[in-house]
Amino acid sequence: MTNHSAYIAGLGFYVPDRVLTNRELEKMVETSDEWIRTRTGISERRIAEKGVGTSELASRAALAALKQAGVSPNDVDLIIAATTTPDMPLPSCACFIQQKIGAKNAAAFDLAAACAGFVYALVTAEQFIRAGVYKNILVIGADVISPYIDWTERSTCILFGDGAGAALLKPASGKSGILSSVLGSDGQYADLLTIPCGGSRRPATHGSVAENGHTLKMSGSEVFKLAVRGMSEAVIEALSRAKVKKSDVACFIPHQANQRIIDAVADRLELPAEKIFVNLQKYGNTSAASCAIALCEAVEQGKIKKGDKVVLATFGSGLVWGALVMEW
Ligand code: UT7
């Protein structure tokens, strides 16, 4: 039994080429670029081509993370794919990723924690590393959510986009790595954000299609309030567990769902705008990929340097939430 923390040795992300702008949405539903930007902060999002599954985006992100870490697919011990939009109900998305990247020596499974999936998967991977079971773990947050969007429903279709982000985790030798984490969920709010049909309770039938039961339904303002509370409290608890002061946080990577949620959380945490990384204007809410893509871009843009304290916070359907403190 070892007790190594885990650190991120490589990151990568991938988004589809197709850009869907607010102006295009104006032609599809009764909305305006101005409303979307002021109420959410989003200007555009990426949409996967028809027939492209989550494993395709995830594999590209995974290969980029492996390249950055200098790890060959053969040396990956475990693939954890955080997704709620797997290519198909069986087999797991993680197995399709394994097939695509050729990680033939890995174990592989999916983890369903909606938008909080990347943080849940990082924390899960960290446990295997702390226990000394695995040395190279590929953690991927990926969703192709666009096929589940009702493109006639203006309060949801403006929010989401497709994408994937990946991290290669290894045992940490020095101080750097995951310092603390908090995961939470409250199933009493399970009905606030759902895709009601297509599962075992209500499988696909002509009726389920006719009633539009395979698209995402959300009580937006309730989710909004719970997101602010859930993320703020999780970050405060994670910082306390890591014995890190709010003022010592160099970069805060929140779930990229709505600029107003991010502002409200930042306000509660008393974090100045320059410490908060936001890229939702370009991608919207990419669900499990959101924090992963944001972390990747924050590093690429030099917003995170060695030794920095970095905080991730996520929130999603379940309701579930998670926060994680790392030293980079
Ligand atoms: O990963 C977690 C996933 N979910 C979230 O993070 C979502 C959290 N919720 C939100 O981001 C916000 O609640 C929304 C962006 C979904 C909605 O914003 P809101 O400020 O909470 O608006 P609202 O739902 O209270 O609606 C206000 C008005 C309504 O019109 P009436 O009833 O006041 O006449 C809506 O019909 O805004 C209307 N509205 C729109 N108007 C123009 C809703 N969507 C749109 C739209 N364009 N796209």
Side-chain angles (χ1 to χ4, degrees), residues 52-320:
V52 170
T54 299
S55 72
E56 181 61 35
L57 277 57
S59 302
R60 292 174 186 239
L63 287 172
L66 287 175
K67 190 171 174 206
Q68 197 178 85
V71 170
S72 136
N74 283 337
D75 294 328
V76 174
D77 301 311
L78 175 67
I79 300 169
I80 307 179
T83 186
T84 29
T85 56
D87 293 27
M88 49 183 84
L90 283 174
S92 69
C93 187
C95 284
F96 282 120
I97 297 167
Q98 175 177 35
Q99 182 191 61
K100 289 193 162 78
I101 68 172
K104 57 180 189 297
N105 299 311
F109 66 88
D110 285 2
L111 186 155
C115 300
F118 185 64
V119 168
Y120 262 72
L122 285 176
V123 175
T124 305
E126 186 205 1
Q127 310 313 309
F128 283 107
I129 287 176
R130 275 194 191 281
V133 178
Y134 294 128
K135 287 200 167 63
N136 289 312
I137 305 185
L138 198 45
V139 169
I140 306 154
D143 274 304
V144 173
I145 192 95
S146 55
Y148 300 96
I149 298 300
D150 178 348
W151 294 103
T152 66
E153 218 289 295
R154 67 179 181 175
S155 66
T156 49
C157 74
I158 57 155
L159 295 174
F160 295 93
D162 301 330
L168 193 278
L169 259 72
K170 278 177 167 291
S173 45
K175 278 202 310 169
S176 67
I178 298 174
L179 302 178
S180 73
S181 60
V182 169
L183 301 179
S185 82
D186 192 343
Q188 71 167 311
Y189 298 115
D191 296 326
L192 289 185
L193 176 41
T194 64
I195 297 170
C197 296
S200 53
R201 200 191 297 179
R202 299 190 62 201
T205 59
H206 290 296
S208 70
V209 173
E211 71 176 67
N212 200 15
H214 296 271
T215 57
L216 185 145
K217 321 287 176 207
M218 178 171 69
S219 305
S221 52
E222 280 90 337
V223 174
F224 188 111
K225 283 177 231 147
L226 292 161
V228 173
R229 200 177 70 199
M231 284 204 287
S232 313
E233 288 176 2
V235 171
I236 289 167
E237 177 60 24
L239 286 173
S240 147
R241 286 183 193 178
K243 299 190 175 49
V244 170
K245 291 197 290 255
K246 283 188 254 182
S247 53
D248 290 336
V249 173
C251 187
F252 177 49
I253 315 258
H255 175 44
Q256 309 283 313
N258 185 321
Q259 183 67 52
R260 291 185 298 131
I261 295 179
I262 296 174
D263 291 345
V265 172
D267 206 42
R268 288 188 178 204
L269 298 173
E270 297 163 330
L271 288 175
E274 65 271 16
K275 289 188 173 182
I276 300 157
F277 189 79
V278 178
N279 64 2
L280 90 173
Q281 67 283 359
K282 296 190 288 183
Y283 306 125
N285 180 350
T286 55
S287 191
S290 165
C291 261
I293 298 175
L295 178 63
C296 198
E297 286 202 329
V299 173
E300 269 177 16
Q301 293 171 23
K303 310 263 184 208
I304 298 175
K305 290 173 221 64
K306 190 155 176 46
D308 277 353
K309 302 284 192 306
V310 179
V311 176
L312 264 57
T314 54
F315 188 86
S317 161
L319 295 175
V320 292

Side-chain angles (χ1 to χ4, degrees), residues 32-50:
S32 67
D33 172 51
E34 211 252 327
W35 193 96
I36 302 171
R37 277 191 291 102
T38 52
R39 305 303 292 167
T40 72
I42 301 164
S43 296
E44 56 188 44
R45 66 289 291 144
R46 301 300 182 94
I47 304 293
E49 295 293 328
K50 266 207 176 97

Side-chain angles (χ1 to χ4, degrees), residues 1-5 129-132 172:
M1 181 93 169
T2 62
N3 197 23
H4 284 299
S5 175
I129 287 176
R130 275 194 191 281

